[in-house]
Structure formats: C-alpha cells, structure tokens
Amino acid sequence: QRTHHRPGRLRWITGRRSQGENWDAYEAPAGMPLNALAGGSTSWTAVRFWLLDLAEELAVSRAEGSTPAILADDRLWITADGHAKLLDFPAPGAAPATESFDTETSFLRCIADATIGACLPPAPLHARALLDPAPASAFESMLATLRLGIRRLARVSRLRRLLITLGVSAFPAAG
C-alpha cells in the first residue's frame, strides 16, 4: 500500500504495474528492527522520540484510514538517525512478533514496556505513566502526553537527585 511521504513510514520510490510485472520499491534506511533492541535496556532519552514518531504516524494513519492491518513489534524499524518507522510487513531481521495489538494505545504501551521496562537509570515518572493500563480510547491523551513529554527532562542526573534528597530532608530540620 502506497502512502504519501510521512516521517513514520517508508517512502515509496517507484513501482510498476503491467501484465508481466507488479512491484514497488521503497526507501531502505540504515538501522535495525525495534525488537532487536527490546529487553528493557534502552534509555527513555531515545525511546520517547520513537514513541512520539509512532504515535504521530498512527494518528495520521487513523485519520487517513491507512493504519497497517497488523500492529506488532516486528513491524517497527529504528533508523540509524534515531527515528521509528512503522512498516506494513515484518522488518528485515526482526524476530517474529509474539503478539499483535488491536489498539494503538496497547501497541505503544507494549513498545514502551519492552524497551524501557527495567532500564537503568529508571525512566522518569511522567514516562512511567505511559505504562499504566488505560482504556483503548485514551490514544489522543497518550499522544498529547508524548508531545509534552519531549519537552521534559529525559532523565534525572545523580546530582539533581542528591539535591532533591537534601532539599526534602532539610524540611524537618528547618521546622
């Protein structure tokens, strides 16, 4: 299925439809399948941009009626420059998907959980909120949260944690 160029999808380059030929050529950006990165070891600093790329693409796909028939982790490509692409087919070299999702919200939560589930340093609280269960109708809310989350700190440094701890512990001493 051809789509207009959108950052979250592969760009259609050319194709041919004739009696003897039926093919399409798409861009082939350098990168790797997302499920090769899964396992809870990717930082929120990177994952938040992937989730926003995917959420933005899913919002446009939903509006145009071009959402892929299958939403699964084997259909995601992370480009060498750090963007996520939603594919209509399993990504080259991807491990087979263990499940597919019927809502955009459950799909994005699974991606977040698989990539940042147990990462160190832990994801900030506003990122963890994305992992909380919510109704499938919460997609627009999730998209808004991701858009706002890009502007927030991706991680809290050790120095900042220390200063917060010292500041909180100073309250009882001041009283």
Side-chain angles (χ1 to χ4, degrees), residues 70-136:
I70 298 172
L71 293 174
D73 70 345
D74 69 338
R75 293 167 184 252
L76 295 172
W77 188 258
I78 304 302
T79 65
D81 62 353
H83 291 282
K85 300 268 188 184
L86 184 61
L87 308 176
D88 291 313
F89 50 85
T98 54
E99 65 180 305
S100 62
F101 300 89
D102 55 354
T103 68
E104 294 94 342
T105 308
S106 60
F107 176 60
L108 291 171
R109 279 207 173 80
C110 176
I111 299 308
D113 189 42
T115 53
I116 66 169
C119 67
L120 292 174
L125 289 177
H126 67 272
R128 291 277 166 197
L130 291 173
L131 302 177
D132 293 339

Side-chain angles (χ1 to χ4, degrees), residues 13-89:
I13 298 171
T14 190
R16 179 165 312 244
R17 302 285 179 271
S18 70
Q19 196 74 322
E21 294 180 285
N22 186 9
W23 56 269
D24 291 296
Y26 291 87
E27 73 174 318
M32 66 178 55
L34 178 111
N35 67 15
L37 299 168
S41 60
T42 307
S43 74
W44 175 245
T45 304
V47 173
R48 66 191 180 138
F49 288 103
W50 302 344
L51 291 172
L52 182 59
D53 286 346
L54 294 171
E56 295 279 5
E57 174 53 38
L58 289 167
V60 172
S61 295
R62 178 189 267 192
E64 288 186 356
S66 61
T67 304
I70 298 172
L71 293 174
D73 70 345
D74 69 338
R75 293 167 184 252
L76 295 172
W77 188 258
I78 304 302
T79 65
D81 62 353
H83 291 282
K85 300 268 188 184
L86 184 61
L87 308 176
D88 291 313
F89 50 85

